Amino acid sequence: MRPYAKSAVRLVTDAKARFASLAVIAMLGTMSVVGIQAASIDMRDVADRTYKGRGLYDVQVRSAAGFGEGDVAALAAVPGVAAVMPSYIVDAYIEVRGQRQPMRTYSLPTGLNALELLEGRLPEGPGECAVERRLMREGGYALGGTLSIAPDGSAGYGQAFECMDLTVTGVVSSPLYITMERGRTALGSGTLRYYAYLHPDGYALGAYTDVYVSMEESLGIYNVSDEYDAAARRWVAALAEAGDARAAAAGEAPAGAGSEDPGMGPSSASGPAWSYQTREDGVSFRSYRQDTFRLQKVGYVFPLVFFLVSLLVSLTTMTRMVEEHRTRIGVFKALGYGSSSVALMYASYAAASAALGGAAGVFLGSGLFPSIIADAYGHLYSMPPIETPVPVGIAAAAMAASVSVVVGATLAACLNVTRSEPADLIRPKAPKAGRKVWLEMLPPVWRRVGFIGKITARNIFRFKRRFFMTLTGVAGCAALLLTGFGLRDSLAVVSMRQFGEVEVYDAKAYLSGAADGAVRASLGALTHGEALYAREEAVEVEVGGQRFSASLITPEDYGRLGGFVRLFSPHTGGAYADPPEGALLTEKMARTLGVGEGDVVTLRLGGGAEVEVAVAGVAENYLFHYAFLGPGAYAALFGAEPVPNCLFINGAYDAEALMREGSVLALSAMTDQRRVMADSTDAMGVVTVVLIVLACALAFVVLFNLTLINITERRRELATIKVLGFQDAETALYTYRESMAVTLMGIAVGIAAGILLVGFVLTSVEIDILKFPHYVSLGSYLTAIAVSMAFTVFVSAATYGRLTSIDMVESLKGVE
Amino acid sequence: MGGGEAGGRAGDGGYIRFDGVTREYGSGAVAVRALDGITFGLEEGAFNVIVGPSGAGKTTVLNLLGGMDAATAGSVYVDGRDIARLGKRDRCLYRRNEVGFVFQFYNLIQNLTALENVELASHIKKDSLPPADALRDVGLGGRVGHFPSQLSGGEQQRVAIARALAKAPKLLLCDEPTGALDYVTGKGILRLLRESCEMRGVTVVLITHNTAITPMADRVVRIKNGRVEAVADNASPVPISEIEW
């Protein structure tokens, strides 16, 4: 077998460019799948490690009535419970830059939810606290400084604290907050801004508000998985049984459904009940997890395209190679080598290139991508840096897929040749016969096609496989580019649409108390344009056990709301100008809940009031969820007038004076909201850029490979053309015209496929508080088209040298 | 015809004249000299045959005459112009406007019909013959819509000749035009070439290793080892029907 082995090795050394191009395509395929999947896995891994390492709770049990030592013991006695940690959790206002912002305070953890101390020390007495870094920065605090809990006004949390002025002793990072989202509160606008930790002695409460529970089973399960979620539901059921038993023993009502938002501690609860929340109920954990799965889904779509194209490329490349070697193969067969050993030689050539490229793709992908992507997401999460091990399972699957794709293509290519008799192989193959193309069936059209156009049309359809392959290559590139750009457009447009078409006010002021005549007069002097008082509060919208956290907005004068928040139907575009006979829900929430006009939903306010209301309509909205009521409907439903607690402002206003105003809790300017939104969409933008770069690399390799095949396969024809007196440029046009025509067709197909793909990807990556408008700008279409064309032109230019260097003497030789 | 008339011009070097032409491939120690200071002349409107064994340098002569290659030294005059001195672009224009090629393996574009193959040539040359007429003249008026694979070897070579003649060239260069054909078909092709020479006055240069063809030529140049062995004129060329090989 020595000469056979030598011949096999020489296959590689004789056709280095071909070997390299197969390897590069395999590399791109595996790199894209392994890289993005690895990023997703690495991000989940770091979460799993962090959750376990910090002893994160599995279930949080809340009680409006509070937990006594007996309650805690009952929970600890539930089989499977590893640890229980009774805690105080109370929300309060603090002053940050003259504005009152809602902050959540926790008692220092003991055993579970371990804090990371970033600076200073933990609080050691009732008058001390540790805060998160964001509060240090935005509140301008320093270690040793004083953080004052603002007087509670009507909120009623004042008696929960021993001291209202706390010394900041340290900066901590809590495992409960891994994203920038802080969740919701019953205070103010309903959006929580900060968190802080107090010494347990800092609370003047008789009973614990919450008990964190960790389960023994949890450590053995991958924490960011469906398996964990299923287990968590089991744990909740087990704990609820104990809770119900405890409640029954005390002669109380059984536990009701869980509430997502810890309120302001024990106050005016309608009935003492325990509620159970898993991590999945926490907005922070949920959105982190959703982000990683979004990434994973994107990571499935793109590699599919890559694999499809690489299949076609290797098929064409290997077919060409086997065709070129038919004489050599004939000699091997004539010498008595079997078909399978000949096929094996080419299959191992292909396998070697795919394996080499695949291995490079695995290491580049898993080493490079996760870091880039995690870096992009980095400022959205507070997570330790990821580790980037090679994801063995995915890597093996991707390698196996790319090797088998190439080997399969090679065997298919070999089949024809190895089946032939050696004598046929040694004889040169007759050139592919010319054929009429379907266009000729339409004489009126065909007659109008110029001579060169006819040649181009014939040649395009002459090599069908290469035609489809080029088409797919270009189409894949254009589709990926359009998807990349479309993703970016849609992300960008969320902010534009939300703040340009829906929320069209300039600022919103949250009030500390009732908007009485004096308050209105003083605020009126500081706002120079339009202003509208409204009530905004946290609400849960529930139907059939599915819940959404939303903001309920009730304007004082519904007729004027349109100047600040435009409510219109996403389908007809028609505005909801009149006060609705029920609640208007925003589109994403209504769609996810599966409700439409006329359906009944339950609204539950932070204070516990619960009403059923008919859906009066569905309104377009892109960010967060809202419910709207007319003032009359509010009063009828809740039996109380909607006391305004916020003020929509349009036009000029005196921001600094408003913030200094005692009646103003906080002022939120639209420009800030846009900036926050831009930050979070930037991360996805980085993923988009990675994909665009990959798409370009793919397009280049495919087109380069094809153009070279096109030239080598037609050397004799091109040499003849040159002898006939075609100038270099004319000869180039003779071949490139085809590339251009196929490129144009490929772009058309690719743009159509891209529109579908971008829709699919956007649906996959959407998170629950966002609705992505499926929007691709004209610029993106043009860029995708231009870049695809530029590649064809660039590749043509790069291969021009090969074309002009074709020796005319080739034309005198016999058929290859 | 032609012989006596062209002979009158032999004094000023002939219509086509190779003047001390050398062509080397490679350089230094490995240089191969394909033509070694070759000198001969060919007559306008005559049927010229260049004959020699394999490796004699015939193809190099054809390449130089066809403007497909440049000489290392010496001059190649065609109608008073030294084409060995032309730049790449001018050589291309020379091929386009003045030379018709007939190849051993026809070199038709497989994907074009007979008519389109002829159009391929007429398309780039002004004052060319109508492609359909060119095909009719070679006896293929009824097969214009056929693809090369649907034609016999002789028919394909006729298409190739039509393609060469459609350009109304000054010079018809034929490289072993009967090499891939059987005896009868080959003779038909030779007859067609001879007729084209006589009726259109086009200068034919036919290159072959088959010495049996030489009696039909007006002038025969014998080449061996890159040098001219002999140049002979036939006062009365033998009709093709009497030639046998």
Side-chain angles (χ1 to χ4, degrees), chain B residues 52-58 176 209 225:
Chain B
S54 299
K58 298 189 301 285
E176 297 277 13
H209 69 279
N225 295 329

Side-chain angles (χ1 to χ4, degrees), chain A residues 431-436 451-452 455 458-459 462 716-717 720-728 730 734 808-809 811-814, chain B residues 59 62-63 67-68 88-89 92-93 95-96 101 103 105 107 109-113 116 119-120 123-124 145 147 149 163 167 175:
Chain A
K432 202 167 160 73
R435 278 200 6 225
K436 302 255 179 197
F451 173 66
I452 289 290
I455 296 180
R458 284 261 177 71
N459 279 339
R462 181 179 178 191
R716 207 173 110 88
E717 180 179 330
T720 305
I721 299 267
K722 288 175 98 170
V723 175
L724 289 180
F726 277 65
Q727 308 254 13
D728 282 346
E730 288 167 331
Y734 179 82
M808 279 175 278
V809 176
S811 64
L812 306 177
K813 289 182 189 158
Chain B
T59 303
L62 179 90
N63 290 347
M68 287 149 62
K88 225 180 138 199
R89 187 184 156 75
C92 182
L93 288 174
R95 287 198 301 273
R96 170 187 298 216
F101 275 96
F103 304 90
F105 299 105
N107 290 32
I109 308 300
Q110 293 296 322
N111 204 22
L112 299 181
T113 61
E116 288 161 352
E119 281 178 332
L120 189 62
H123 177 73
I124 53 169
F147 285 101
S149 59
R163 181 173 70 182
K167 290 208 275 185
D175 180 28

Side-chain angles (χ1 to χ4, degrees), chain A residues 513-721:
Chain A
D516 56 27
V519 168
R520 287 180 190 235
S522 59
L523 295 185
L526 298 173
T527 55
H528 311 302
E530 286 271 297
L532 173 67
Y533 285 90
R535 178 166 184 82
E536 177 173 344
E537 58 200 311
V539 68
E540 275 190 351
V541 182
E542 182 179 334
V543 66
Q546 254 192 305
R547 286 189 316 240
F548 265 86
S549 293
S551 297
L552 176 66
I553 293 179
T554 314
E556 198 172 51
D557 177 0
Y558 184 89
R560 287 175 54 224
L561 182 63
F564 303 89
V565 180
R566 290 194 192 137
L567 299 177
F568 56 91
S569 160
H571 309 295
T572 64
Y576 294 108
D578 301 320
E581 300 283 317
L584 285 177
L585 301 186
T586 48
E587 201 268 344
K588 179 76 186 278
M589 175 165 66
R591 175 158 45 95
T592 317
L593 287 172
V595 297
E597 198 177 329
D599 292 329
V600 173
V601 296
T602 305
L603 299 183
R604 191 181 300 113
L605 296 185
E610 192 174 309
V611 296
E612 295 209 327
V613 62
V615 177
V618 174
E620 184 69 297
N621 186 64
Y622 299 93
L623 186 60
F624 300 119
H625 308 299
Y626 295 96
F628 296 90
L629 284 175
Y634 187 98
L637 285 168
F638 295 104
E641 285 301 315
V643 180
N645 64 353
C646 69
L647 178 64
F648 290 101
I649 301 167
N650 260 348
Y653 59 91
D654 189 337
E656 286 195 10
L658 273 175
M659 284 191 227
R660 276 197 306 271
E661 194 65 35
S663 59
V664 173
L665 271 179
L667 187 70
S668 127
M670 201 40 85
T671 44
D672 296 340
Q673 297 212 27
R674 283 173 201 255
R675 201 195 55 238
V676 170
M677 186 66 206
D679 282 350
S680 64
T681 51
D682 276 355
M684 206 59 201
V686 169
V687 179
T688 307
V689 169
V690 169
L691 290 171
I692 290 174
V693 169
L694 275 182
C696 291
L698 181 78
F700 184 75
V701 176
V702 169
L703 287 174
F704 193 76
N705 202 22
L706 283 172
T707 310
L708 277 190
I709 290 178
N710 201 14
I711 291 173
T712 47
E713 246 179 46
R714 295 165 63 185
R715 291 183 79 84
R716 207 173 110 88
E717 180 179 330
L718 294 173
T720 305
I721 299 267

Side-chain angles (χ1 to χ4, degrees), chain A residues 98-132:
Chain A
Q99 305 199 41
R100 290 163 110 193
Q101 299 283 9
M103 169 184 80
R104 181 156 296 167
T105 72
Y106 294 84
S107 56
L108 280 180
T110 50
L112 298 180
N113 307 342
L115 295 176
E116 188 186 349
L117 184 64
L118 304 172
E119 272 179 58
R121 60 170 176 80
L122 292 177
E124 287 164 0
E128 296 180 341
C129 72
V131 302
E132 65 167 312

